[in-house]
Amino acid sequence: MANPEEATARLERFLQWLQVNGAELRACNIKYCDSSKGCGVYSSTNDASDGVLLVVPLNLAITPMRVLQDPLLGSECRAMFTEGEVDDRFLMNLFLTVERLRKNSSWKPYLDMLPTTFGNPLWFTDDELLELRGTTLFRATELQKKSLLSLYNGKVKDLVKKLLILDGDSESEVSFDDFLWANSVFWTRALNIPLPNSFVFPQINEVQDNSLSMEKSSEASTDHGCSEEMINGKDVQKSEVKGNDIEVNGAELMSEQKDTVWVEGLVPGIDFCNHDLKASATWEVDGTGSVTGVPFSMYLLSVQSSFSIEKEICISYGNKGNEELLYLYGFVIDNNPDDYLMVHYPVEAIESIPFSDSKSQLLEAQKAEMRCLSPKSLLDHGFFAVSSPKDKGKDTCKAVQTCNYSWSGQRKTPSYVNKLVFPEDFLTALRTIAMREDELFKVSSLLEELVGTEGERQPSEAEVRAAVWEACGDSGALQLLVDLLHVKMTNLEEYSGTEDCDTELLEQEAHITGCPKDFIKGDTVNGSREWCRCKKMSRNKWCSIVYRRGQKQLTRLFLKEAEHALQLSLSEDSANQS
């Protein structure tokens, strides 16, 4: 970390760079927060009359099209891009890697302000990574690092060297850490920006001076038209430009003619806003300049009528659980209300189950999901929900999930259906996987009644689901779900113990952190000799424990829901048979 004098000098150079490039800090400042968050945005006045705190021209944004038009990288990248060898995110990471090493980079004032290390698991030490054993993130991190290393050795390393030589620099050495840094910068700071069509495609509309073309997102949808989606800061969505969408000269893009084009990019200044569950600001795009007076700009907008001076201004990165927050951004929120549990049935395991071919066909016909993301909020509507009197009766508004189409009339809709907290698409998959031979035969017979022995037509997705449900009910699926959750809990506890063990570790850390600075091991306090551990837990280890404890808690609670549903299902099956 730079010394205070150097850090101050870097910040001053960055602020000057912003202003020279047209950015306006109208009611805020950017300054250092602390070692865990780095820099942040702070209010500089308690009265922003129009709510506009910061304005950044979008010409200052780093986007894939910026890379394709770059004097140094552009030609090489356009050739790879046109051939479909790289995607837009690769372009961003390549650009950041090269610019970090370039001695005369025009982005240096901005890049010097970015963190040099990150808190996501890719940057963990070996010992810190072991704290994630048993969790989804442990394996995901191993796979991601292996993939990035392969990409670096297979394509990035030589390409960066080639580009640096073209820039007249034959001395700089690129390392994997440079590429890892670029990848982390992108994932922690990129915004999914809704840009006006006239800005992205100026050659189709009115040509703008000094304008910057940007790529379209192939994954963009009308859902992004919602203003909440447009302003939720760091909620990065997958976007991609296909190789045949752009000519070799990078001057022409093919796009559907819409008012908004979604683009991933870095916006210097705006990207220093940190996350808070209760955001005090949002960002929006001003295409015409009607709000800010600066056409084609992004601005930070206060959602409060007034601020205390020097109060940090935070945005929301979206409703993300700790698994996603730690994986992408390198931090967690204790007791995160948006936490979720991922439960899945391994696809590769289907090959080893009885009648795997027939069941695979049924799974495909039903469009069943092999995994489910279960938000903590679902528990508010389950069997053991802690609800206030005003919340009672809400269950009646929940749509019946289980198929109730019945040929025989013997399979009734379960009495507990509105209390199930597990998605029907996942239960559909589990019913099919757990199906016995006689149930599989019954499904075939039921579908044959519908489509005829000659198969005059294909049964619909709803008809296949209904047949599977009538033949199987819920017991087999719920038993399989209970087994999956038991396995998940066993994996979580194997290396780090129970939820209570994690709680004890966190409480010890809180005690250690709270020790007075002069309270050293063996000091006498109030006439008695007390002992306090001097070595504090690393931030990465603390985040890992908070995350894994939350996963254990959710697994325990969802397991309790599944076990209760299984008992009810077995009881109702028994009653129906009698």
Side-chain angles (χ1 to χ4, degrees), residues 179-219:
F179 182 58
L180 185 61
W181 172 88
N183 180 77
S184 295
V185 167
F186 174 80
W187 283 107
T188 57
R189 309 182 84 85
L191 308 174
N192 200 26
I193 312 168
L195 293 174
N197 186 283
S198 57
F199 179 74
V200 181
F201 305 106
Q203 73 280 8
I204 297 175
N205 301 282
E206 179 182 355
V207 177
Q208 301 290 333
D209 292 336
N210 197 31
S211 62
L212 173 66
S213 296
M214 301 185 187
E215 95 289 4
K216 76 185 181 74
S217 165
S218 63
E219 300 293 330

mmCIF file of all heavy atoms in Angstrom, residues 179-219:
data_model
loop_
_atom_site.group_PDB
_atom_site.id
_atom_site.type_symbol
_atom_site.label_atom_id
_atom_site.label_comp_id
_atom_site.label_asym_id
_atom_site.label_seq_id
_atom_site.Cartn_x
_atom_site.Cartn_y
_atom_site.Cartn_z
ATOM 1 N N PHE A 179 -2.921 -10.366 -15.187
ATOM 2 C CA PHE A 179 -4.180 -10.772 -15.808
ATOM 3 C C PHE A 179 -5.257 -11.035 -14.757
ATOM 4 O O PHE A 179 -6.424 -10.682 -14.942
ATOM 5 C CB PHE A 179 -3.945 -12.016 -16.664
ATOM 6 C CG PHE A 179 -5.165 -12.497 -17.400
ATOM 7 C CD1 PHE A 179 -5.848 -11.667 -18.283
ATOM 8 C CD2 PHE A 179 -5.641 -13.787 -17.206
ATOM 9 C CE1 PHE A 179 -6.982 -12.107 -18.957
ATOM 10 C CE2 PHE A 179 -6.770 -14.240 -17.883
ATOM 11 C CZ PHE A 179 -7.432 -13.398 -18.764
ATOM 12 N N LEU A 180 -4.853 -11.636 -13.646
ATOM 13 C CA LEU A 180 -5.787 -11.872 -12.546
ATOM 14 C C LEU A 180 -6.306 -10.552 -11.998
ATOM 15 O O LEU A 180 -7.495 -10.412 -11.686
ATOM 16 C CB LEU A 180 -5.087 -12.673 -11.447
ATOM 17 C CG LEU A 180 -5.943 -13.133 -10.259
ATOM 18 C CD1 LEU A 180 -7.053 -14.055 -10.717
ATOM 19 C CD2 LEU A 180 -5.071 -13.830 -9.210
ATOM 20 N N TRP A 181 -5.415 -9.578 -11.899
ATOM 21 C CA TRP A 181 -5.821 -8.227 -11.458
ATOM 22 C C TRP A 181 -6.854 -7.647 -12.415
ATOM 23 O O TRP A 181 -7.883 -7.102 -11.980
ATOM 24 C CB TRP A 181 -4.589 -7.333 -11.399
ATOM 25 C CG TRP A 181 -4.873 -5.886 -11.141
ATOM 26 C CD1 TRP A 181 -4.999 -5.275 -9.930
ATOM 27 C CD2 TRP A 181 -5.072 -4.866 -12.133
ATOM 28 N NE1 TRP A 181 -5.265 -3.930 -10.094
ATOM 29 C CE2 TRP A 181 -5.317 -3.654 -11.443
ATOM 30 C CE3 TRP A 181 -5.064 -4.849 -13.518
ATOM 31 C CZ2 TRP A 181 -5.553 -2.447 -12.099
ATOM 32 C CZ3 TRP A 181 -5.295 -3.650 -14.179
ATOM 33 C CH2 TRP A 181 -5.533 -2.474 -13.474
ATOM 34 N N ALA A 182 -6.598 -7.739 -13.718
ATOM 35 C CA ALA A 182 -7.526 -7.189 -14.711
ATOM 36 C C ALA A 182 -8.886 -7.872 -14.618
ATOM 37 O O ALA A 182 -9.935 -7.209 -14.683
ATOM 38 C CB ALA A 182 -6.951 -7.367 -16.120
ATOM 39 N N ASN A 183 -8.899 -9.181 -14.451
ATOM 40 C CA ASN A 183 -10.152 -9.918 -14.322
ATOM 41 C C ASN A 183 -10.940 -9.455 -13.103
ATOM 42 O O ASN A 183 -12.163 -9.272 -13.161
ATOM 43 C CB ASN A 183 -9.848 -11.415 -14.217
ATOM 44 C CG ASN A 183 -11.100 -12.262 -14.073
ATOM 45 O OD1 ASN A 183 -11.820 -12.514 -15.024
ATOM 46 N ND2 ASN A 183 -11.356 -12.718 -12.861
ATOM 47 N N SER A 184 -10.234 -9.234 -12.001
ATOM 48 C CA SER A 184 -10.907 -8.794 -10.772
ATOM 49 C C SER A 184 -11.407 -7.365 -10.885
ATOM 50 O O SER A 184 -12.480 -7.028 -10.372
ATOM 51 C CB SER A 184 -9.965 -8.930 -9.572
ATOM 52 O OG SER A 184 -9.656 -10.291 -9.331
ATOM 53 N N VAL A 185 -10.635 -6.506 -11.552
ATOM 54 C CA VAL A 185 -11.101 -5.127 -11.776
ATOM 55 C C VAL A 185 -12.411 -5.141 -12.544
ATOM 56 O O VAL A 185 -13.370 -4.438 -12.202
ATOM 57 C CB VAL A 185 -10.034 -4.311 -12.532
ATOM 58 C CG1 VAL A 185 -10.634 -2.997 -13.053
ATOM 59 C CG2 VAL A 185 -8.857 -4.006 -11.625
ATOM 60 N N PHE A 186 -12.468 -5.952 -13.602
ATOM 61 C CA PHE A 186 -13.685 -6.005 -14.405
ATOM 62 C C PHE A 186 -14.871 -6.476 -13.573
ATOM 63 O O PHE A 186 -15.939 -5.840 -13.559
ATOM 64 C CB PHE A 186 -13.501 -6.939 -15.601
ATOM 65 C CG PHE A 186 -14.766 -7.158 -16.385
ATOM 66 C CD1 PHE A 186 -15.204 -6.225 -17.312
ATOM 67 C CD2 PHE A 186 -15.549 -8.285 -16.158
ATOM 68 C CE1 PHE A 186 -16.383 -6.409 -18.010
ATOM 69 C CE2 PHE A 186 -16.728 -8.481 -16.856
ATOM 70 C CZ PHE A 186 -17.143 -7.543 -17.782
ATOM 71 N N TRP A 187 -14.725 -7.595 -12.879
ATOM 72 C CA TRP A 187 -15.871 -8.176 -12.180
ATOM 73 C C TRP A 187 -16.307 -7.364 -10.965
ATOM 74 O O TRP A 187 -17.469 -7.420 -10.566
ATOM 75 C CB TRP A 187 -15.564 -9.618 -11.777
ATOM 76 C CG TRP A 187 -15.679 -10.546 -12.942
ATOM 77 C CD1 TRP A 187 -14.676 -11.151 -13.626
ATOM 78 C CD2 TRP A 187 -16.896 -10.948 -13.585
ATOM 79 N NE1 TRP A 187 -15.186 -11.905 -14.654
ATOM 80 C CE2 TRP A 187 -16.545 -11.805 -14.645
ATOM 81 C CE3 TRP A 187 -18.244 -10.677 -13.368
ATOM 82 C CZ2 TRP A 187 -17.484 -12.374 -15.498
ATOM 83 C CZ3 TRP A 187 -19.186 -11.253 -14.204
ATOM 84 C CH2 TRP A 187 -18.809 -12.084 -15.243
ATOM 85 N N THR A 188 -15.407 -6.631 -10.354
ATOM 86 C CA THR A 188 -15.797 -5.843 -9.184
ATOM 87 C C THR A 188 -16.314 -4.458 -9.544
ATOM 88 O O THR A 188 -16.964 -3.814 -8.717
ATOM 89 C CB THR A 188 -14.609 -5.676 -8.210
ATOM 90 O OG1 THR A 188 -13.507 -5.069 -8.896
ATOM 91 C CG2 THR A 188 -14.176 -7.014 -7.644
ATOM 92 N N ARG A 189 -16.048 -3.981 -10.784
ATOM 93 C CA ARG A 189 -16.363 -2.593 -11.087
ATOM 94 C C ARG A 189 -17.233 -2.388 -12.322
ATOM 95 O O ARG A 189 -17.741 -1.278 -12.535
ATOM 96 C CB ARG A 189 -15.059 -1.789 -11.255
ATOM 97 C CG ARG A 189 -14.089 -1.960 -10.126
ATOM 98 C CD ARG A 189 -12.842 -1.130 -10.299
ATOM 99 N NE ARG A 189 -13.036 0.230 -9.823
ATOM 100 C CZ ARG A 189 -12.898 0.622 -8.570
ATOM 101 N NH1 ARG A 189 -12.582 -0.261 -7.641
ATOM 102 N NH2 ARG A 189 -13.087 1.882 -8.230
ATOM 103 N N ALA A 190 -17.393 -3.405 -13.150
ATOM 104 C CA ALA A 190 -18.147 -3.211 -14.396
ATOM 105 C C ALA A 190 -19.628 -2.988 -14.118
ATOM 106 O O ALA A 190 -20.216 -3.616 -13.236
ATOM 107 C CB ALA A 190 -17.963 -4.419 -15.312
ATOM 108 N N LEU A 191 -20.218 -2.092 -14.871
ATOM 109 C CA LEU A 191 -21.638 -1.790 -14.786
ATOM 110 C C LEU A 191 -22.315 -2.237 -16.076
ATOM 111 O O LEU A 191 -21.712 -2.212 -17.144
ATOM 112 C CB LEU A 191 -21.867 -0.284 -14.607
ATOM 113 C CG LEU A 191 -21.112 0.404 -13.469
ATOM 114 C CD1 LEU A 191 -21.345 1.904 -13.524
ATOM 115 C CD2 LEU A 191 -21.528 -0.157 -12.130
ATOM 116 N N ASN A 192 -23.552 -2.654 -15.985
ATOM 117 C CA ASN A 192 -24.339 -2.968 -17.178
ATOM 118 C C ASN A 192 -25.134 -1.719 -17.532
ATOM 119 O O ASN A 192 -26.134 -1.401 -16.893
ATOM 120 C CB ASN A 192 -25.261 -4.154 -16.906
ATOM 121 C CG ASN A 192 -25.714 -4.819 -18.177
ATOM 122 O OD1 ASN A 192 -25.053 -4.754 -19.195
ATOM 123 N ND2 ASN A 192 -26.868 -5.462 -18.123
ATOM 124 N N ILE A 193 -24.666 -1.009 -18.540
ATOM 125 C CA ILE A 193 -25.109 0.367 -18.781
ATOM 126 C C ILE A 193 -26.174 0.423 -19.873
ATOM 127 O O ILE A 193 -25.939 -0.043 -20.993
ATOM 128 C CB ILE A 193 -23.919 1.249 -19.211
ATOM 129 C CG1 ILE A 193 -22.731 1.037 -18.265
ATOM 130 C CG2 ILE A 193 -24.322 2.707 -19.259
ATOM 131 C CD1 ILE A 193 -21.433 1.637 -18.782
ATOM 132 N N PRO A 194 -27.327 1.003 -19.599
ATOM 133 C CA PRO A 194 -28.350 1.203 -20.636
ATOM 134 C C PRO A 194 -28.056 2.476 -21.418
ATOM 135 O O PRO A 194 -28.306 3.579 -20.941
ATOM 136 C CB PRO A 194 -29.647 1.323 -19.823
ATOM 137 C CG PRO A 194 -29.207 1.913 -18.516
ATOM 138 C CD PRO A 194 -27.798 1.437 -18.273
ATOM 139 N N LEU A 195 -27.506 2.325 -22.611
ATOM 140 C CA LEU A 195 -27.103 3.489 -23.393
ATOM 141 C C LEU A 195 -28.124 3.834 -24.464
ATOM 142 O O LEU A 195 -28.739 2.939 -25.057
ATOM 143 C CB LEU A 195 -25.753 3.225 -24.059
ATOM 144 C CG LEU A 195 -24.563 3.092 -23.101
ATOM 145 C CD1 LEU A 195 -23.322 2.685 -23.878
ATOM 146 C CD2 LEU A 195 -24.330 4.386 -22.355
ATOM 147 N N PRO A 196 -28.293 5.111 -24.753
ATOM 148 C CA PRO A 196 -29.185 5.511 -25.841
ATOM 149 C C PRO A 196 -28.679 4.962 -27.176
ATOM 150 O O PRO A 196 -27.481 4.964 -27.458
ATOM 151 C CB PRO A 196 -29.120 7.043 -25.817
ATOM 152 C CG PRO A 196 -28.596 7.395 -24.469
ATOM 153 C CD PRO A 196 -27.700 6.280 -24.073
ATOM 154 N N ASN A 197 -29.597 4.502 -27.998
ATOM 155 C CA ASN A 197 -29.234 3.953 -29.300
ATOM 156 C C ASN A 197 -28.451 4.973 -30.129
ATOM 157 O O ASN A 197 -27.505 4.622 -30.837
ATOM 158 C CB ASN A 197 -30.504 3.532 -30.037
ATOM 159 C CG ASN A 197 -30.209 2.813 -31.333
ATOM 160 O OD1 ASN A 197 -29.867 3.447 -32.316
ATOM 161 N ND2 ASN A 197 -30.355 1.502 -31.339
ATOM 162 N N SER A 198 -28.811 6.247 -30.005
ATOM 163 C CA SER A 198 -28.160 7.282 -30.804
ATOM 164 C C SER A 198 -26.706 7.487 -30.400
ATOM 165 O O SER A 198 -25.907 8.000 -31.190
ATOM 166 C CB SER A 198 -28.922 8.608 -30.656
ATOM 167 O OG SER A 198 -28.998 8.989 -29.292
ATOM 168 N N PHE A 199 -26.343 7.097 -29.182
ATOM 169 C CA PHE A 199 -24.955 7.203 -28.739
ATOM 170 C C PHE A 199 -24.141 6.014 -29.217
ATOM 171 O O PHE A 199 -22.992 6.137 -29.624
ATOM 172 C CB PHE A 199 -24.899 7.288 -27.216
ATOM 173 C CG PHE A 199 -23.496 7.382 -26.669
ATOM 174 C CD1 PHE A 199 -22.773 8.550 -26.782
ATOM 175 C CD2 PHE A 199 -22.918 6.299 -26.036
ATOM 176 C CE1 PHE A 199 -21.479 8.640 -26.273
ATOM 177 C CE2 PHE A 199 -21.630 6.378 -25.530
ATOM 178 C CZ PHE A 199 -20.902 7.554 -25.649
ATOM 179 N N VAL A 200 -24.765 4.831 -29.198
ATOM 180 C CA VAL A 200 -24.064 3.616 -29.591
ATOM 181 C C VAL A 200 -23.892 3.546 -31.100
ATOM 182 O O VAL A 200 -22.874 3.089 -31.611
ATOM 183 C CB VAL A 200 -24.823 2.370 -29.088
ATOM 184 C CG1 VAL A 200 -24.086 1.099 -29.483
ATOM 185 C CG2 VAL A 200 -25.004 2.440 -27.583
ATOM 186 N N PHE A 201 -24.889 4.032 -31.843
ATOM 187 C CA PHE A 201 -24.862 3.965 -33.300
ATOM 188 C C PHE A 201 -25.009 5.366 -33.900
ATOM 189 O O PHE A 201 -25.990 5.679 -34.540
ATOM 190 C CB PHE A 201 -25.985 3.066 -33.818
ATOM 191 C CG PHE A 201 -25.953 1.694 -33.229
ATOM 192 C CD1 PHE A 201 -26.873 1.317 -32.270
ATOM 193 C CD2 PHE A 201 -24.989 0.773 -33.622
ATOM 194 C CE1 PHE A 201 -26.835 0.052 -31.712
ATOM 195 C CE2 PHE A 201 -24.950 -0.488 -33.078
ATOM 196 C CZ PHE A 201 -25.874 -0.857 -32.118
ATOM 197 N N PRO A 202 -24.024 6.233 -33.685
ATOM 198 C CA PRO A 202 -24.139 7.618 -34.173
ATOM 199 C C PRO A 202 -24.179 7.698 -35.691
ATOM 200 O O PRO A 202 -24.726 8.639 -36.244
ATOM 201 C CB PRO A 202 -22.881 8.289 -33.613
ATOM 202 C CG PRO A 202 -21.916 7.178 -33.399
ATOM 203 C CD PRO A 202 -22.753 6.001 -32.993
ATOM 204 N N GLN A 203 -23.587 6.680 -36.389
ATOM 205 C CA GLN A 203 -23.587 6.735 -37.843
ATOM 206 C C GLN A 203 -24.976 6.478 -38.406
ATOM 207 O O GLN A 203 -25.274 6.835 -39.541
ATOM 208 C CB GLN A 203 -22.591 5.710 -38.431
ATOM 209 C CG GLN A 203 -23.029 4.256 -38.352
ATOM 210 C CD GLN A 203 -22.781 3.657 -36.970
ATOM 211 O OE1 GLN A 203 -22.412 4.357 -36.033
ATOM 212 N NE2 GLN A 203 -22.997 2.367 -36.846
ATOM 213 N N ILE A 204 -25.851 5.869 -37.608
ATOM 214 C CA ILE A 204 -27.211 5.616 -38.062
ATOM 215 C C ILE A 204 -28.087 6.830 -37.778
ATOM 216 O O ILE A 204 -28.991 7.167 -38.527
ATOM 217 C CB ILE A 204 -27.795 4.371 -37.354
ATOM 218 C CG1 ILE A 204 -26.965 3.134 -37.740
ATOM 219 C CG2 ILE A 204 -29.252 4.167 -37.726
ATOM 220 C CD1 ILE A 204 -27.387 1.881 -37.008
ATOM 221 N N ASN A 205 -27.785 7.500 -36.683
ATOM 222 C CA ASN A 205 -28.552 8.678 -36.313
ATOM 223 C C ASN A 205 -27.731 9.923 -36.667
ATOM 224 O O ASN A 205 -27.216 10.036 -37.763
ATOM 225 C CB ASN A 205 -28.861 8.616 -34.819
ATOM 226 C CG ASN A 205 -29.636 7.354 -34.478
ATOM 227 O OD1 ASN A 205 -30.823 7.258 -34.700
ATOM 228 N ND2 ASN A 205 -28.920 6.355 -33.947
ATOM 229 N N GLU A 206 -27.588 10.811 -35.759
ATOM 230 C CA GLU A 206 -26.801 12.014 -36.003
ATOM 231 C C GLU A 206 -25.381 11.784 -35.528
ATOM 232 O O GLU A 206 -25.146 11.335 -34.416
ATOM 233 C CB GLU A 206 -27.411 13.197 -35.223
ATOM 234 C CG GLU A 206 -26.634 14.487 -35.419
ATOM 235 C CD GLU A 206 -27.253 15.605 -34.604
ATOM 236 O OE1 GLU A 206 -28.296 15.380 -33.997
ATOM 237 O OE2 GLU A 206 -26.675 16.708 -34.594
ATOM 238 N N VAL A 207 -24.406 12.076 -36.387
ATOM 239 C CA VAL A 207 -23.016 11.855 -36.025
ATOM 240 C C VAL A 207 -22.639 12.831 -34.916
ATOM 241 O O VAL A 207 -22.844 14.029 -35.037
ATOM 242 C CB VAL A 207 -22.099 12.045 -37.236
ATOM 243 C CG1 VAL A 207 -20.637 11.884 -36.823
ATOM 244 C CG2 VAL A 207 -22.467 11.056 -38.326
ATOM 245 N N GLN A 208 -22.081 12.268 -33.824
ATOM 246 C CA GLN A 208 -21.692 13.100 -32.699
ATOM 247 C C GLN A 208 -20.170 13.262 -32.689
ATOM 248 O O GLN A 208 -19.435 12.313 -32.938
ATOM 249 C CB GLN A 208 -22.118 12.442 -31.375
ATOM 250 C CG GLN A 208 -23.621 12.205 -31.283
ATOM 251 C CD GLN A 208 -24.377 13.504 -31.139
ATOM 252 O OE1 GLN A 208 -23.839 14.477 -30.617
ATOM 253 N NE2 GLN A 208 -25.611 13.522 -31.585
ATOM 254 N N ASP A 209 -19.689 14.446 -32.406
ATOM 255 C CA ASP A 209 -18.259 14.668 -32.308
ATOM 256 C C ASP A 209 -17.693 13.890 -31.132
ATOM 257 O O ASP A 209 -18.271 13.870 -30.042
ATOM 258 C CB ASP A 209 -17.961 16.164 -32.100
ATOM 259 C CG ASP A 209 -18.313 16.972 -33.346
ATOM 260 O OD1 ASP A 209 -18.332 16.379 -34.445
ATOM 261 O OD2 ASP A 209 -18.566 18.184 -33.193
ATOM 262 N N ASN A 210 -16.555 13.261 -31.374
ATOM 263 C CA ASN A 210 -15.834 12.554 -30.316
ATOM 264 C C ASN A 210 -16.676 11.480 -29.660
ATOM 265 O O ASN A 210 -16.557 11.203 -28.474
ATOM 266 C CB ASN A 210 -15.365 13.535 -29.229
ATOM 267 C CG ASN A 210 -14.280 12.902 -28.373
ATOM 268 O OD1 ASN A 210 -13.512 12.084 -28.861
ATOM 269 N ND2 ASN A 210 -14.226 13.291 -27.106
ATOM 270 N N SER A 211 -17.602 10.895 -30.416
ATOM 271 C CA SER A 211 -18.471 9.876 -29.830
ATOM 272 C C SER A 211 -17.775 8.537 -29.805
ATOM 273 O O SER A 211 -16.810 8.298 -30.512
ATOM 274 C CB SER A 211 -19.773 9.768 -30.628
ATOM 275 O OG SER A 211 -19.507 9.371 -31.942
ATOM 276 N N LEU A 212 -18.265 7.648 -28.973
ATOM 277 C CA LEU A 212 -17.671 6.325 -28.798
ATOM 278 C C LEU A 212 -18.717 5.268 -29.060
ATOM 279 O O LEU A 212 -19.723 5.213 -28.377
ATOM 280 C CB LEU A 212 -17.140 6.178 -27.369
ATOM 281 C CG LEU A 212 -16.644 4.791 -26.970
ATOM 282 C CD1 LEU A 212 -15.408 4.441 -27.801
ATOM 283 C CD2 LEU A 212 -16.329 4.743 -25.498
ATOM 284 N N SER A 213 -18.505 4.433 -30.068
ATOM 285 C CA SER A 213 -19.442 3.351 -30.341
ATOM 286 C C SER A 213 -19.250 2.256 -29.327
ATOM 287 O O SER A 213 -18.149 1.996 -28.871
ATOM 288 C CB SER A 213 -19.208 2.786 -31.750
ATOM 289 O OG SER A 213 -19.477 3.773 -32.707
ATOM 290 N N MET A 214 -20.349 1.587 -28.989
ATOM 291 C CA MET A 214 -20.283 0.495 -28.024
ATOM 292 C C MET A 214 -21.095 -0.675 -28.522
ATOM 293 O O MET A 214 -21.966 -0.534 -29.358
ATOM 294 C CB MET A 214 -20.820 0.944 -26.664
ATOM 295 C CG MET A 214 -20.046 2.116 -26.101
ATOM 296 S SD MET A 214 -20.568 2.539 -24.455
ATOM 297 C CE MET A 214 -19.623 4.029 -24.206
ATOM 298 N N GLU A 215 -20.787 -1.841 -27.957
ATOM 299 C CA GLU A 215 -21.409 -3.054 -28.469
ATOM 300 C C GLU A 215 -22.770 -3.299 -27.860
ATOM 301 O O GLU A 215 -23.105 -2.798 -26.811
ATOM 302 C CB GLU A 215 -20.487 -4.252 -28.204
ATOM 303 C CG GLU A 215 -20.771 -5.041 -26.956
ATOM 304 C CD GLU A 215 -20.399 -4.282 -25.701
ATOM 305 O OE1 GLU A 215 -19.994 -3.118 -25.783
ATOM 306 O OE2 GLU A 215 -20.550 -4.862 -24.623
ATOM 307 N N LYS A 216 -23.535 -4.118 -28.542
ATOM 308 C CA LYS A 216 -24.836 -4.494 -28.003
ATOM 309 C C LYS A 216 -24.691 -5.735 -27.148
ATOM 310 O O LYS A 216 -23.756 -6.492 -27.283
ATOM 311 C CB LYS A 216 -25.840 -4.780 -29.128
ATOM 312 C CG LYS A 216 -25.654 -6.113 -29.835
ATOM 313 C CD LYS A 216 -26.614 -6.213 -30.984
ATOM 314 C CE LYS A 216 -26.481 -7.556 -31.703
ATOM 315 N NZ LYS A 216 -27.036 -8.652 -30.965
ATOM 316 N N SER A 217 -25.613 -5.924 -26.246
ATOM 317 C CA SER A 217 -25.625 -7.131 -25.443
ATOM 318 C C SER A 217 -26.586 -8.125 -26.060
ATOM 319 O O SER A 217 -27.750 -7.851 -26.229
ATOM 320 C CB SER A 217 -26.078 -6.818 -24.013
ATOM 321 O OG SER A 217 -26.415 -8.003 -23.342
ATOM 322 N N SER A 218 -26.073 -9.296 -26.385
ATOM 323 C CA SER A 218 -26.936 -10.312 -26.980
ATOM 324 C C SER A 218 -27.897 -10.887 -25.972
ATOM 325 O O SER A 218 -28.850 -11.562 -26.313
ATOM 326 C CB SER A 218 -26.083 -11.435 -27.568
ATOM 327 O OG SER A 218 -25.361 -12.073 -26.540
ATOM 328 N N GLU A 219 -27.634 -10.624 -24.683
ATOM 329 C CA GLU A 219 -28.493 -11.156 -23.643
ATOM 330 C C GLU A 219 -29.477 -10.115 -23.106
ATOM 331 O O GLU A 219 -30.222 -10.372 -22.190
ATOM 332 C CB GLU A 219 -27.633 -11.673 -22.473
ATOM 333 C CG GLU A 219 -26.674 -12.782 -22.853
ATOM 334 C CD GLU A 219 -27.380 -14.055 -23.235
ATOM 335 O OE1 GLU A 219 -28.469 -14.300 -22.712
ATOM 336 O OE2 GLU A 219 -26.864 -14.787 -24.084
#
